[in-house]
Amino acid sequence: MIEQPITAVYPGSFDPFHLGHLDIVRRAITIFPRVVVGVLQNTDKTPLLPTEQRVDLIRSTLEDMPGVEVTAFSGLLVDFLRESRARVILRGMRAVSDFEYEFQIALMNRRLWNPAETVFLTPTEEFTYLSGRVVREIWRLGGDVSGLVPEPVRRALEELRRQAR
Ligand code: ADP
């Protein structure tokens, strides 16, 4: 039997997409022929950037990476996986503190749809301290986010700050 090429879905809120996320996508595409970045449409909280803008910014950041697609999704991750013809869920593992929650979700997703497998990748050390929350906090306090986020995201955050003034 010929194995189907395996597609991996990398889900997250990516609010905003930062260099830790980029590092994971770069690693993933050396393993999987197709990687779908799934941007979660948050329904319960107000994001810093609206979903469509997050999708556009990630697309501009990843435009030179063949095999990578970016799509918004809502609802169950396993449904998005099936729609994407994928069965691998990619998650970044920064520290032991990520483990417990991720472990629980990985088992739950497999219970919801048995073929779903979760693969954990670790970023390069310098990005282990990075999170969306840290970037948002620095931005809110007026700090410089260059070196933390890709250039299209930095420009969008700068523009947002200008509008907020
Ligand atoms: P964040 O936690 O930065 O707000 P998300 O909640 O959107 O980001 O997470 C999407 C995925 O990216 C998760 O699997 C998360 O563990 C992973 N991730 C987030 N930050 C990093 C990082 N600095 N290095 C590696 N993976 C990360």
Side-chain angles (χ1 to χ4, degrees):
M1 194 180 89
I2 301 168
E3 286 270 314
Q4 290 262 357
I6 296 173
T7 295
V9 161
Y10 180 36
S13 49
F14 305 115
D15 185 34
F17 191 81
H18 55 64
L19 295 185
H21 297 136
L22 179 58
D23 186 272
I24 296 296
V25 176
R26 283 207 172 113
R27 286 170 198 282
I29 203 64
T30 67
I31 305 171
F32 301 99
R34 179 170 168 252
V35 172
V36 180
V37 179
V39 182
L40 186 64
Q41 254 163 331
N42 326 44
T43 45
D44 52 346
K45 51 182 182 184
T46 313
L48 181 62
L49 299 169
T51 314
E52 279 317 309
Q53 191 178 9
R54 276 180 276 147
V55 168
D56 289 346
L57 291 170
I58 301 171
R59 280 198 185 130
S60 326
T61 303
L62 305 176
E63 65 188 355
D64 295 333
M65 292 174 72
V68 179
E69 295 162 31
V70 186
T71 320
F73 80 100
S74 55
L76 278 180
L77 177 58
V78 289
D79 290 339
F80 180 61
L81 220 59
R82 281 184 285 221
E83 280 162 27
S84 307
R85 288 171 290 110
R87 67 182 199 92
V88 168
I89 301 166
L90 274 178
R91 297 292 288 171
M93 189 67 84
R94 285 165 286 200
V96 178
S97 52
D98 280 340
F99 180 78
E100 195 154 333
Y101 173 75
E102 293 292 344
F103 185 65
Q104 218 175 12
I105 298 293
L107 291 179
M108 185 47 74
N109 280 323
R110 202 160 55 196
R111 192 195 155 104
L112 289 170
W113 187 48
N114 193 254
E117 293 293 354
T118 303
V119 169
F120 296 102
L121 294 178
T122 49
T124 193
E125 291 93 314
E126 63 172 305
F127 298 136
T128 51
Y129 63 89
L130 251 185
S131 70
R133 195 169 56 82
V134 164
V135 175
R136 290 195 299 275
E137 199 82 356
I138 293 172
W139 178 83
R140 277 200 186 104
L141 298 171
D144 180 11
V145 296
S146 49
L148 304 180
V149 296
E151 191 49 25
V153 177
R154 189 197 64 76
R155 272 189 261 119
L157 291 181
E158 199 170 282
E159 181 57 32
L160 195 61
R161 177 172 290 154
R162 223 175 284 133
Q163 288 167 8
R165 272 192 200 128

